[in-house]
Amino acid sequence: MDLLARFIADKPVVIFSKSTCCMSHTVKALICNFGANPTVFEVDKMANGYLIERALVLLGCHPSVPAVFIGQQFIRGADKVIGLNIQNKLSQLLLNAKAIFIWVSYSSIKDS
């Protein structure tokens, strides 16, 4: 985890990704659609990428990417991030991490 801690320190959202992974692209697009600007590390393009992948697997990320950290908290992969979005919980995590500063969901506008 020490290796990963250096990458996620002081960053509201970090995504470990592979440039060829469609689920990594999906997670990046989803988080960016909230207005967040995640720090993205493409492990397949990094000299020490295999070490990062090993650390992610040891952390419990299967497959190793995408791996998402919000507010230095390990969220997990695409299934968890998409699930949080469906449950309307992703925006609050992004707000708490100061990755975004305001969020109004369409359902709250529709209800008023």
Side-chain angles (χ1 to χ4, degrees):
M1 183 65 183
D2 290 339
L3 173 66
L4 297 176
R6 287 184 277 153
F7 287 98
I8 65 172
D10 302 324
K11 295 176 185 72
V13 181
V14 174
I15 302 172
F16 291 96
S17 172
K18 284 188 177 176
S19 59
T20 58
C21 175
C22 64
M23 292 311 291
S24 292
H25 175 77
T26 300
V27 166
K28 289 184 279 188
L30 174 61
I31 290 174
C32 286
N33 280 338
F34 279 92
N37 187 21
T39 300
V40 178
F41 295 103
E42 302 285 358
V43 296
D44 59 331
K45 296 189 176 202
M46 299 171 69
N48 63 343
Y50 68 97
L51 294 174
I52 294 168
E53 276 194 88
R54 187 180 310 155
L56 291 169
V57 168
L58 290 174
L59 197 58
C61 201
H62 300 284
S64 60
V65 294
V68 178
F69 292 79
I70 299 176
Q72 292 78 43
Q73 177 186 357
F74 180 47
I75 303 301
R76 292 206 173 276
D79 55 344
K80 181 68 173 182
V81 173
I82 293 168
L84 288 168
N85 185 49
I86 290 168
Q87 298 167 8
N88 291 320
K89 295 180 179 177
L90 183 57
S91 59
Q92 192 59 52
L93 285 174
L94 294 169
L95 282 165
N96 292 345
K98 297 186 178 14
I100 59 175
F101 298 101
I102 188 165
W103 180 255
V104 177
S105 69
Y106 290 111
S107 63
S108 65
I109 294 171
K110 190 171 50 172
D111 295 339
S112 39

XYZ file of all heavy atoms in Angstrom:
861
model
N 0.827 -1.207 0.000
C 0.000 0.000 0.000
C 0.862 1.257 0.000
O 0.419 2.288 -0.468
C -0.941 -0.063 1.201
C -1.898 1.093 1.287
S -3.057 1.093 -0.093
C -3.960 2.559 0.243
N 2.084 1.162 0.520
C 2.953 2.341 0.533
C 3.212 2.869 -0.874
O 3.243 4.073 -1.088
C 4.290 2.020 1.209
C 4.134 1.810 2.709
O 3.130 2.285 3.262
O 5.012 1.172 3.308
N 3.380 1.949 -1.817
C 3.590 2.357 -3.199
C 2.371 3.131 -3.700
O 2.505 4.210 -4.284
C 3.823 1.125 -4.085
C 3.896 1.366 -5.591
C 5.120 2.204 -5.928
C 3.923 0.056 -6.330
N 1.178 2.621 -3.432
C -0.042 3.286 -3.876
C -0.264 4.596 -3.140
O -0.751 5.564 -3.726
C -1.247 2.363 -3.683
C -1.233 1.073 -4.493
C -2.426 0.209 -4.124
C -1.202 1.348 -5.977
N 0.092 4.641 -1.872
C -0.127 5.846 -1.057
C 0.572 7.055 -1.660
O 0.044 8.171 -1.622
C 0.345 5.609 0.375
N 1.723 6.847 -2.241
C 2.439 7.965 -2.874
C 1.685 8.523 -4.077
O 1.745 9.712 -4.359
C 3.843 7.531 -3.302
C 4.792 7.358 -2.129
C 6.176 7.024 -2.597
N 6.202 5.573 -2.833
C 6.996 4.962 -3.690
N 7.848 5.637 -4.414
N 6.954 3.659 -3.838
N 0.956 7.667 -4.760
C 0.212 8.106 -5.942
C -1.114 8.781 -5.584
O -1.589 9.633 -6.323
C -0.064 6.918 -6.879
C 1.149 6.438 -7.617
C 1.861 5.348 -7.156
C 1.586 7.081 -8.760
C 2.983 4.896 -7.828
C 2.706 6.643 -9.444
C 3.411 5.542 -8.977
N -1.718 8.366 -4.480
C -3.054 8.890 -4.155
C -3.035 10.046 -3.163
O -4.046 10.716 -2.988
C -3.982 7.770 -3.636
C -3.489 7.194 -2.317
C -4.153 6.690 -4.683
C -4.464 6.224 -1.683
N -1.891 10.307 -2.535
C -1.817 11.369 -1.521
C -2.212 12.714 -2.115
O -1.797 13.066 -3.221
C -0.402 11.441 -0.955
N -3.033 13.440 -1.373
C -3.428 14.812 -1.714
C -4.171 14.948 -3.037
O -4.188 16.023 -3.623
C -2.208 15.743 -1.726
C -1.483 15.751 -0.394
O -2.163 15.671 0.645
O -0.250 15.821 -0.395
N -4.762 13.869 -3.516
C -5.534 13.937 -4.758
C -6.958 13.484 -4.468
O -7.171 12.425 -3.888
C -4.903 13.056 -5.831
C -3.524 13.530 -6.250
C -2.902 12.574 -7.243
C -1.483 12.969 -7.580
N -0.546 12.715 -6.489
N -7.953 14.273 -4.865
C -9.342 13.904 -4.546
C -9.810 12.617 -5.236
O -10.514 11.818 -4.640
C -10.165 15.096 -5.006
C -9.247 16.088 -5.579
C -7.857 15.574 -5.493
N -9.417 12.422 -6.493
C -9.825 11.216 -7.227
C -8.632 10.702 -8.021
O -8.014 11.448 -8.777
C -10.994 11.489 -8.204
C -11.399 10.210 -8.933
C -12.182 12.092 -7.495
N -8.344 9.414 -7.832
C -7.275 8.764 -8.586
C -7.847 7.503 -9.215
O -8.545 6.723 -8.553
C -6.076 8.401 -7.680
C -5.035 7.595 -8.444
C -5.451 9.658 -7.098
N -7.543 7.328 -10.489
C -7.961 6.128 -11.206
C -6.716 5.467 -11.779
O -5.957 6.097 -12.518
C -8.944 6.451 -12.344
C -10.177 7.172 -11.808
C -9.336 5.169 -13.095
C -11.097 7.705 -12.889
N -6.519 4.202 -11.422
C -5.485 3.398 -12.058
C -6.166 2.669 -13.192
O -7.200 2.017 -13.006
C -4.854 2.419 -11.060
C -4.031 3.110 -10.014
C -4.571 3.418 -8.782
C -2.722 3.464 -10.277
C -3.822 4.065 -7.816
C -1.964 4.117 -9.324
C -2.510 4.419 -8.086
N -5.595 2.786 -14.380
C -6.266 2.385 -15.594
C -5.278 1.713 -16.542
O -4.075 1.701 -16.298
C -6.831 3.662 -16.240
O -7.348 3.423 -17.513
N -5.803 1.142 -17.598
C -4.994 0.705 -18.744
C -5.570 1.385 -19.969
O -6.793 1.494 -20.111
C -5.028 -0.814 -18.910
C -4.179 -1.548 -17.908
C -4.102 -3.019 -18.250
C -3.194 -3.733 -17.272
N -3.168 -5.184 -17.525
N -4.707 1.816 -20.835
C -5.139 2.570 -22.010
C -6.044 1.755 -22.934
O -6.813 2.331 -23.695
C -3.924 3.089 -22.774
O -3.101 2.010 -23.185
N -5.985 0.435 -22.841
C -6.781 -0.421 -23.728
C -8.019 -1.006 -23.050
O -8.733 -1.796 -23.659
C -5.912 -1.586 -24.243
O -5.413 -2.306 -23.108
C -4.758 -1.084 -25.091
N -8.301 -0.607 -21.818
C -9.401 -1.191 -21.054
C -10.675 -0.365 -21.219
O -10.725 0.802 -20.814
C -9.009 -1.285 -19.578
S -10.340 -1.854 -18.508
N -11.714 -0.973 -21.783
C -12.959 -0.242 -22.023
C -13.664 0.119 -20.713
O -14.291 1.179 -20.620
C -13.887 -1.037 -22.932
S -14.461 -2.590 -22.235
N -13.545 -0.705 -19.681
C -14.185 -0.381 -18.402
C -13.454 0.779 -17.719
O -14.084 1.593 -17.042
C -14.248 -1.608 -17.490
C -15.191 -2.684 -18.014
S -16.841 -2.070 -18.499
C -17.530 -1.621 -16.930
N -12.156 0.858 -17.892
C -11.406 2.007 -17.365
C -11.893 3.284 -18.030
O -12.124 4.299 -17.364
C -9.907 1.830 -17.611
O -9.383 0.775 -16.846
N -12.083 3.237 -19.336
C -12.583 4.397 -20.069
C -13.977 4.791 -19.569
O -14.267 5.974 -19.376
C -12.618 4.105 -21.570
C -13.237 5.200 -22.367
N -12.569 6.365 -22.669
C -14.482 5.322 -22.886
C -13.386 7.163 -23.350
N -14.541 6.544 -23.503
N -14.823 3.810 -19.323
C -16.181 4.065 -18.847
C -16.169 4.753 -17.484
O -16.896 5.726 -17.262
C -16.965 2.736 -18.767
O -17.014 2.161 -20.076
C -18.367 2.943 -18.239
N -15.336 4.259 -16.572
C -15.254 4.843 -15.227
C -14.707 6.267 -15.297
O -15.222 7.169 -14.624
C -14.404 3.946 -14.302
C -14.024 4.667 -13.022
C -15.149 2.664 -13.994
N -13.694 6.479 -16.122
C -13.142 7.837 -16.270
C -14.217 8.785 -16.798
O -14.386 9.897 -16.292
C -11.927 7.829 -17.209
C -10.697 7.181 -16.610
C -9.496 7.282 -17.526
C -9.539 6.215 -18.577
N -8.311 6.128 -19.389
N -14.957 8.345 -17.817
C -16.008 9.191 -18.393
C -17.106 9.491 -17.375
O -17.573 10.630 -17.275
C -16.594 8.517 -19.638
N -17.499 8.498 -16.604
C -18.543 8.686 -15.598
C -18.121 9.731 -14.573
O -18.868 10.669 -14.276
C -18.849 7.361 -14.898
C -19.815 7.412 -13.719
C -21.184 7.930 -14.148
C -19.928 6.046 -13.079
N -16.929 9.605 -14.050
C -16.456 10.544 -13.026
C -16.269 11.942 -13.611
O -16.616 12.940 -12.980
C -15.193 9.998 -12.345
C -15.589 8.777 -11.483
C -14.494 11.058 -11.508
C -14.457 8.031 -10.848
N -15.774 12.024 -14.815
C -15.612 13.338 -15.466
C -16.964 13.998 -15.734
O -17.067 15.227 -15.696
C -14.824 13.192 -16.762
S -13.066 12.889 -16.507
N -18.002 13.198 -15.994
C -19.333 13.761 -16.241
C -19.898 14.472 -15.018
O -20.810 15.284 -15.148
C -20.304 12.678 -16.729
C -20.123 12.374 -18.193
O -19.596 13.184 -18.951
N -20.537 11.198 -18.594
N -19.377 14.190 -13.842
C -19.777 14.909 -12.636
C -19.053 16.252 -12.524
O -19.365 17.045 -11.654
C -19.466 14.078 -11.379
C -20.488 13.023 -11.085
C -20.328 11.734 -11.575
C -21.606 13.309 -10.327
C -21.263 10.753 -11.304
C -22.550 12.337 -10.051
C -22.375 11.059 -10.547
N -18.074 16.469 -13.391
C -17.281 17.691 -13.328
C -15.971 17.509 -12.594
O -15.224 18.471 -12.413
N -15.682 16.300 -12.171
C -14.419 16.013 -11.486
C -13.297 15.901 -12.512
O -13.541 15.612 -13.688
C -14.528 14.729 -10.685
N -12.101 16.131 -12.051
C -10.914 16.011 -12.889
C -9.979 14.988 -12.238
O -9.056 15.360 -11.525
C -10.233 17.373 -13.031
C -9.094 17.329 -14.017
O -9.022 16.456 -14.860
N -8.199 18.288 -13.903
N -10.233 13.694 -12.480
C -9.442 12.677 -11.794
C -7.999 12.647 -12.274
O -7.705 12.965 -13.418
C -10.161 11.374 -12.160
C -10.820 11.657 -13.458
C -11.202 13.109 -13.406
N -7.121 12.260 -11.370
C -5.739 11.962 -11.743
C -5.746 10.520 -12.238
O -6.188 9.617 -11.525
C -4.807 12.110 -10.536
O -4.896 13.453 -10.064
C -3.375 11.789 -10.917
N -5.284 10.314 -13.457
C -5.330 8.982 -14.070
C -3.913 8.495 -14.311
O -3.089 9.210 -14.882
C -6.115 9.015 -15.397
C -6.117 7.644 -16.058
C -7.537 9.519 -15.172
N -3.658 7.281 -13.850
C -2.380 6.624 -14.096
C -2.637 5.425 -14.993
O -3.350 4.496 -14.608
C -1.730 6.164 -12.789
C -1.342 7.293 -11.880
C -2.118 7.605 -10.771
C -0.208 8.047 -12.132
C -1.770 8.637 -9.932
C 0.143 9.092 -11.295
C -0.629 9.386 -10.198
N -2.092 5.471 -16.201
C -2.212 4.359 -17.145
C -1.068 3.391 -16.853
O 0.067 3.603 -17.272
C -2.133 4.869 -18.589
C -3.175 5.903 -18.958
C -4.568 5.320 -19.160
O -4.753 4.087 -19.058
O -5.485 6.115 -19.427
N -1.368 2.326 -16.110
C -0.310 1.435 -15.631
C 0.395 0.700 -16.762
O 1.565 0.335 -16.616
C -0.827 0.441 -14.565
C -1.276 1.176 -13.326
C -1.930 -0.440 -15.089
N -0.276 0.510 -17.893
C 0.378 -0.162 -19.013
C 1.387 0.732 -19.726
O 2.155 0.266 -20.560
C -0.652 -0.711 -20.010
C -1.557 0.348 -20.604
O -1.809 1.378 -19.932
O -2.040 0.154 -21.729
N 1.427 2.006 -19.361
C 2.379 2.932 -19.977
C 3.430 3.421 -18.974
O 4.201 4.314 -19.295
C 1.634 4.121 -20.573
C 0.719 3.698 -21.705
C 0.158 4.863 -22.440
C -0.650 4.325 -23.609
N -0.817 5.288 -24.640
N 3.437 2.822 -17.790
C 4.376 3.231 -16.742
C 5.464 2.174 -16.598
O 5.191 0.970 -16.676
C 3.650 3.401 -15.402
C 2.570 4.462 -15.433
S 1.574 4.476 -13.940
C 2.749 5.071 -12.742
N 6.685 2.637 -16.364
C 7.812 1.717 -16.212
C 7.588 0.756 -15.039
O 7.943 -0.422 -15.125
C 9.107 2.499 -16.015
N 7.006 1.234 -13.954
C 6.769 0.389 -12.785
C 5.308 -0.063 -12.700
O 4.835 -0.420 -11.623
C 7.178 1.113 -11.503
C 6.346 2.361 -11.246
O 5.681 2.872 -12.145
N 6.371 2.854 -10.030
N 4.620 -0.077 -13.818
C 3.205 -0.420 -13.839
C 2.902 -1.796 -13.289
O 1.888 -1.999 -12.628
N 3.782 -2.751 -13.520
C 3.550 -4.105 -13.013
C 3.562 -4.128 -11.494
O 2.836 -4.907 -10.869
C 4.585 -5.091 -13.585
C 5.988 -4.856 -13.094
C 6.502 -5.600 -12.025
C 6.813 -3.900 -13.687
C 7.789 -5.381 -11.560
C 8.090 -3.683 -13.227
C 8.580 -4.419 -12.166
O 9.845 -4.200 -11.695
N 4.370 -3.271 -10.862
C 4.391 -3.194 -9.401
C 3.092 -2.595 -8.871
O 2.558 -3.042 -7.846
C 5.582 -2.354 -8.925
C 6.967 -2.922 -9.186
C 8.038 -1.913 -8.806
C 7.152 -4.221 -8.422
N 2.590 -1.608 -9.566
C 1.321 -0.993 -9.176
C 0.191 -2.005 -9.322
O -0.652 -2.145 -8.427
C 1.053 0.278 -10.004
C 2.106 1.337 -9.660
C -0.355 0.804 -9.766
C 2.126 2.508 -10.594
N 0.176 -2.737 -10.442
C -0.855 -3.758 -10.636
C -0.806 -4.813 -9.539
O -1.839 -5.238 -9.020
C -0.693 -4.430 -11.989
C -1.340 -3.676 -13.111
C -1.466 -4.514 -14.353
O -2.491 -5.224 -14.485
O -0.541 -4.470 -15.183
N 0.385 -5.239 -9.170
C 0.539 -6.225 -8.103
C -0.025 -5.683 -6.782
O -0.730 -6.386 -6.061
C 2.008 -6.607 -7.933
C 2.192 -7.749 -6.941
C 3.622 -8.160 -6.746
N 4.307 -8.388 -8.012
C 5.623 -8.288 -8.172
N 6.384 -7.944 -7.157
N 6.177 -8.516 -9.334
N 0.276 -4.426 -6.479
C -0.233 -3.803 -5.251
C -1.755 -3.717 -5.274
O -2.413 -3.931 -4.249
C 0.395 -2.422 -5.066
N -2.329 -3.415 -6.431
C -3.791 -3.335 -6.551
C -4.445 -4.699 -6.342
O -5.477 -4.814 -5.680
C -4.182 -2.747 -7.908
C -3.840 -1.278 -8.107
C -4.023 -0.883 -9.567
C -4.672 -0.395 -7.194
N -3.836 -5.744 -6.892
C -4.361 -7.096 -6.710
C -4.283 -7.491 -5.237
O -5.231 -8.058 -4.685
C -3.608 -8.103 -7.613
C -3.936 -9.533 -7.232
C -3.943 -7.848 -9.087
N -3.181 -7.171 -4.581
C -3.047 -7.471 -3.153
C -4.080 -6.714 -2.327
O -4.507 -7.174 -1.267
C -1.641 -7.148 -2.663
C -0.537 -8.077 -3.169
C 0.838 -7.574 -2.742
C -0.765 -9.501 -2.679
N -4.479 -5.561 -2.812
C -5.499 -4.756 -2.132
C -6.898 -5.338 -2.323
O -7.819 -5.005 -1.603
C -5.429 -3.321 -2.664
C -6.081 -2.221 -1.876
C -5.521 -2.142 -0.458
C -5.860 -0.898 -2.575
N -7.036 -6.228 -3.302
C -8.316 -6.881 -3.536
C -8.999 -6.468 -4.814
O -10.183 -6.736 -4.998
N -8.297 -5.819 -5.698
C -8.885 -5.371 -6.954
C -8.672 -6.449 -8.021
O -7.552 -6.680 -8.463
C -8.249 -4.051 -7.388
S -9.273 -3.135 -8.528
N -9.761 -7.117 -8.397
C -9.704 -8.165 -9.420
C -10.778 -7.884 -10.443
O -11.958 -7.926 -10.089
C -9.940 -9.541 -8.800
C -8.950 -9.910 -7.763
N -7.676 -10.314 -8.049
C -9.043 -9.914 -6.409
C -7.033 -10.575 -6.928
N -7.844 -10.333 -5.918
N -10.468 -7.545 -11.674
C -9.144 -7.359 -12.240
C -8.460 -6.129 -11.650
O -9.089 -5.335 -10.955
C -9.407 -7.185 -13.739
C -10.793 -6.651 -13.820
C -11.534 -7.223 -12.637
N -7.207 -5.968 -11.976
C -6.410 -4.909 -11.344
C -6.856 -3.503 -11.727
O -6.664 -2.566 -10.954
C -4.935 -5.093 -11.667
O -4.719 -5.037 -13.066
N -7.449 -3.339 -12.901
C -7.924 -2.019 -13.321
C -9.338 -2.143 -13.886
O -9.709 -3.210 -14.370
C -6.993 -1.377 -14.378
C -5.646 -1.077 -13.787
C -6.885 -2.214 -15.627
N -10.140 -1.122 -13.826
C -9.854 0.148 -13.172
C -9.896 0.004 -11.651
O -10.664 -0.801 -11.120
C -10.970 1.074 -13.654
C -12.117 0.147 -13.937
C -11.495 -1.138 -14.424
N -9.065 0.770 -10.996
C -9.071 0.848 -9.533
C -9.245 2.315 -9.175
O -8.488 3.165 -9.636
C -7.773 0.306 -8.967
N -10.257 2.601 -8.365
C -10.644 3.981 -8.088
C -10.447 4.291 -6.610
O -10.874 3.528 -5.739
C -12.103 4.239 -8.505
C -12.531 5.652 -8.186
C -12.299 3.927 -9.985
N -9.822 5.434 -6.366
C -9.674 5.978 -5.023
C -10.353 7.342 -5.012
O -10.064 8.179 -5.858
C -8.200 6.152 -4.654
C -7.458 4.856 -4.483
C -7.005 4.135 -5.575
C -7.204 4.362 -3.213
C -6.317 2.949 -5.417
C -6.518 3.173 -3.034
C -6.073 2.463 -4.141
N -11.246 7.556 -4.060
C -11.897 8.855 -3.901
C -11.637 9.309 -2.470
O -11.974 8.596 -1.528
C -13.409 8.778 -4.182
C -13.661 8.326 -5.629
C -14.080 10.131 -3.914
C -15.117 8.120 -5.985
N -11.024 10.478 -2.346
C -10.660 10.965 -1.020
C -9.699 10.035 -0.318
O -9.828 9.792 0.872
N -8.771 9.463 -1.048
C -7.765 8.515 -0.582
C -8.376 7.203 -0.075
O -7.697 6.382 0.509
C -6.856 9.112 0.504
C -5.934 10.214 0.023
C -6.637 11.545 -0.130
O -7.429 11.928 0.721
N -6.361 12.243 -1.210
N -9.671 6.995 -0.307
C -10.348 5.759 0.088
C -10.473 4.862 -1.133
O -10.907 5.302 -2.198
C -11.725 6.080 0.651
C -12.531 4.860 1.015
C -13.962 5.212 1.432
O -14.335 6.371 1.506
N -14.760 4.194 1.670
N -10.092 3.587 -0.976
C -10.198 2.626 -2.064
C -11.659 2.270 -2.278
O -12.313 1.703 -1.408
C -9.382 1.379 -1.732
C -9.417 0.309 -2.789
C -9.225 0.615 -4.126
C -9.625 -1.005 -2.434
C -9.249 -0.365 -5.098
C -9.644 -2.005 -3.396
C -9.451 -1.685 -4.726
N -12.198 2.622 -3.441
C -13.595 2.360 -3.770
C -13.748 0.994 -4.420
O -14.721 0.317 -4.224
C -14.153 3.463 -4.706
C -14.000 4.839 -4.054
C -15.602 3.185 -5.089
C -14.701 4.989 -2.726
N -12.829 0.557 -5.180
C -12.740 -0.687 -5.946
C -12.819 -0.378 -7.433
O -12.401 0.668 -7.860
C -13.780 -1.717 -5.525
C -13.553 -2.258 -4.129
C -14.144 -3.639 -3.977
N -13.774 -4.217 -2.695
C -12.626 -4.852 -2.467
N -11.748 -4.992 -3.404
N -12.380 -5.364 -1.277
N -13.438 -1.298 -8.189
C -13.428 -1.195 -9.637
C -14.706 -0.664 -10.238
O -15.531 -0.032 -9.573
N -14.875 -0.947 -11.523
C -15.981 -0.406 -12.299
C -17.338 -0.792 -11.735
O -18.239 0.049 -11.647
C -15.865 -0.867 -13.754
N -17.510 -2.052 -11.337
C -18.817 -2.486 -10.843
C -19.233 -1.703 -9.605
O -20.382 -1.287 -9.477
C -18.838 -3.991 -10.577
C -17.734 -4.454 -9.638
O -16.760 -3.707 -9.415
O -17.839 -5.595 -9.134
N -18.307 -1.447 -8.698
C -18.615 -0.702 -7.484
C -18.923 0.767 -7.792
O -19.876 1.339 -7.270
C -17.452 -0.810 -6.499
C -17.678 -0.105 -5.193
C -18.758 -0.772 -4.374
C -18.843 -0.130 -3.002
N -19.831 -0.778 -2.159
N -18.126 1.382 -8.661
C -18.326 2.792 -9.008
C -19.667 2.983 -9.712
O -20.431 3.895 -9.379
C -17.160 3.318 -9.882
C -17.444 4.723 -10.387
C -15.860 3.295 -9.093
N -19.975 2.111 -10.650
C -21.254 2.201 -11.357
C -22.407 1.951 -10.385
O -23.427 2.643 -10.431
C -21.280 1.242 -12.564
C -20.270 1.729 -13.618
C -22.682 1.119 -13.155
C -19.982 0.732 -14.723
N -22.248 0.993 -9.483
C -23.271 0.732 -8.480
C -23.517 1.927 -7.575
O -24.667 2.260 -7.260
N -22.445 2.592 -7.148
C -22.592 3.801 -6.335
C -23.333 4.888 -7.092
O -24.143 5.622 -6.511
C -21.222 4.308 -5.884
C -20.518 3.478 -4.814
C -19.065 3.914 -4.673
C -21.250 3.579 -3.483
N -23.075 4.985 -8.382
C -23.775 5.981 -9.187
C -25.268 5.650 -9.278
O -26.112 6.534 -9.122
C -23.158 6.064 -10.584
C -23.765 7.171 -11.403
O -23.871 8.301 -10.940
N -24.178 6.857 -12.615
N -25.596 4.394 -9.490
C -27.004 3.983 -9.576
C -27.724 4.271 -8.258
O -28.888 4.667 -8.251
C -27.103 2.489 -9.959
C -26.647 2.312 -11.416
C -28.515 1.947 -9.760
C -26.434 0.882 -11.830
N -27.016 4.100 -7.145
C -27.602 4.349 -5.821
C -27.560 5.831 -5.427
O -27.919 6.179 -4.307
C -26.843 3.551 -4.763
C -26.906 2.069 -4.944
C -25.889 1.346 -4.061
O -25.237 1.924 -3.220
N -25.758 0.055 -4.284
N -27.119 6.687 -6.337
C -26.984 8.128 -6.070
C -26.034 8.432 -4.909
O -26.243 9.391 -4.170
C -28.344 8.786 -5.830
C -29.172 8.834 -7.087
O -28.655 9.095 -8.166
N -30.446 8.562 -6.964
N -24.986 7.621 -4.762
C -24.010 7.824 -3.688
C -22.670 8.335 -4.203
O -21.865 8.844 -3.426
C -23.786 6.524 -2.915
C -25.022 6.055 -2.165
C -24.756 4.772 -1.423
C -25.993 4.321 -0.665
N -25.772 3.029 0.002
N -22.426 8.209 -5.485
C -21.140 8.620 -6.042
C -20.935 10.123 -5.940
O -19.852 10.590 -5.579
C -21.020 8.155 -7.502
C -19.701 8.448 -8.204
C -18.515 7.839 -7.448
C -19.739 7.925 -9.626
N -21.972 10.886 -6.216
C -21.843 12.347 -6.160
C -21.457 12.813 -4.757
O -20.631 13.715 -4.603
C -23.130 13.031 -6.613
O -24.216 12.642 -5.795
N -22.023 12.200 -3.727
C -21.693 12.598 -2.355
C -20.241 12.269 -2.014
O -19.572 13.055 -1.344
C -22.636 11.923 -1.351
C -22.533 12.512 0.039
C -22.852 14.010 0.070
O -23.884 14.441 -0.430
N -21.959 14.799 0.639
N -19.753 11.132 -2.482
C -18.345 10.804 -2.269
C -17.437 11.842 -2.931
O -16.447 12.270 -2.353
C -18.019 9.415 -2.820
C -18.505 8.213 -2.028
C -18.217 6.930 -2.790
C -17.846 8.179 -0.661
N -17.801 12.236 -4.151
C -17.006 13.234 -4.872
C -17.069 14.592 -4.165
O -16.064 15.296 -4.079
C -17.476 13.347 -6.317
C -17.243 12.105 -7.181
C -17.976 12.218 -8.511
C -15.762 11.859 -7.396
N -18.233 14.947 -3.659
C -18.368 16.198 -2.896
C -17.523 16.164 -1.626
O -16.797 17.116 -1.330
C -19.832 16.443 -2.534
C -20.732 16.984 -3.631
C -22.197 16.829 -3.244
C -20.401 18.431 -3.933
N -17.604 15.071 -0.880
C -16.852 14.953 0.371
C -15.347 15.013 0.141
O -14.605 15.518 0.988
C -17.212 13.654 1.099
C -18.629 13.657 1.622
O -19.282 14.693 1.699
N -19.134 12.480 1.969
N -14.895 14.491 -1.001
C -13.473 14.494 -1.329
C -13.027 15.823 -1.938
O -11.856 16.008 -2.235
C -13.153 13.356 -2.297
N -13.985 16.737 -2.133
C -13.726 18.026 -2.766
C -13.236 17.878 -4.219
O -12.476 18.684 -4.724
C -12.761 18.869 -1.940
C -13.342 19.224 -0.571
C -12.476 20.171 0.191
C -13.006 20.594 1.523
N -14.061 19.945 2.173
N -13.730 16.822 -4.858
C -13.455 16.623 -6.276
C -14.419 17.445 -7.116
O -14.120 17.812 -8.245
C -13.566 15.150 -6.641
N -15.606 17.690 -6.549
C -16.586 18.588 -7.138
C -17.104 19.468 -6.012
O -16.958 19.131 -4.833
C -17.747 17.830 -7.840
C -18.489 16.918 -6.855
C -17.231 17.048 -9.032
C -19.713 16.228 -7.447
N -17.710 20.580 -6.360
C -18.114 21.520 -5.331
C -19.613 21.714 -5.234
O -20.114 22.218 -4.252
C -17.409 22.866 -5.543
C -15.930 22.707 -5.423
C -15.128 22.628 -6.544
C -15.330 22.591 -4.184
C -13.767 22.457 -6.429
C -13.970 22.409 -4.052
C -13.190 22.343 -5.184
N -20.335 21.327 -6.256
C -21.792 21.427 -6.216
C -22.341 20.351 -7.133
O -21.766 20.042 -8.178
C -22.278 22.825 -6.649
C -23.760 22.964 -6.420
C -21.904 23.138 -8.080
C -24.264 24.397 -6.482
N -23.447 19.767 -6.710
C -24.081 18.763 -7.560
C -25.572 18.805 -7.308
O -26.034 18.730 -6.178
C -23.555 17.357 -7.274
C -24.216 16.349 -8.149
C -25.174 15.451 -7.794
C -24.007 16.163 -9.540
N -25.574 14.713 -8.884
C -24.860 15.128 -9.966
C -23.189 16.770 -10.479
C -24.916 14.697 -11.279
C -23.238 16.341 -11.789
C -24.100 15.313 -12.177
N -26.323 18.935 -8.377
C -27.775 18.892 -8.306
C -28.206 17.767 -9.238
O -27.914 17.798 -10.428
C -28.407 20.234 -8.751
C -29.924 20.135 -8.729
C -27.908 21.367 -7.887
N -28.876 16.784 -8.677
C -29.318 15.664 -9.507
C -30.591 16.053 -10.252
O -31.368 16.894 -9.804
C -29.561 14.428 -8.647
O -30.696 14.616 -7.829
N -30.802 15.433 -11.381
C -31.995 15.712 -12.176
C -33.254 15.310 -11.423
O -34.297 15.941 -11.559
C -31.928 14.980 -13.527
C -30.878 15.561 -14.432
C -29.734 14.857 -14.755
C -31.040 16.842 -14.957
C -28.772 15.407 -15.585
C -30.084 17.401 -15.794
C -28.953 16.657 -16.095
O -28.010 17.198 -16.903
N -33.172 14.262 -10.608
C -34.367 13.831 -9.869
C -34.804 14.884 -8.859
O -35.991 15.064 -8.638
C -34.111 12.488 -9.181
O -33.083 12.600 -8.235
N -33.859 15.610 -8.229
C -34.252 16.639 -7.267
C -34.876 17.845 -7.973
O -35.748 18.504 -7.433
C -33.063 17.073 -6.412
O -32.083 17.705 -7.199
N -34.460 18.128 -9.195
C -35.053 19.224 -9.972
C -36.463 18.823 -10.400
O -37.392 19.621 -10.306
C -34.184 19.559 -11.216
C -32.839 20.113 -10.771
C -34.905 20.525 -12.126
C -31.854 20.263 -11.902
N -36.613 17.586 -10.819
C -37.900 17.089 -11.293
C -38.930 17.074 -10.162
O -40.100 17.338 -10.385
C -37.700 15.674 -11.869
C -38.873 15.139 -12.608
C -38.561 13.845 -13.341
C -37.899 12.845 -12.425
N -37.738 11.532 -13.015
N -38.486 16.785 -8.932
C -39.394 16.692 -7.784
C -39.830 18.061 -7.265
O -40.794 18.154 -6.525
C -38.735 15.919 -6.639
C -38.486 14.462 -7.025
O -39.152 13.983 -7.950
O -37.637 13.816 -6.387
N -39.131 19.134 -7.610
C -39.493 20.448 -7.057
C -40.497 21.192 -7.889
O -41.014 20.857 -8.834
C -38.293 21.322 -6.862
O -37.340 21.228 -7.860
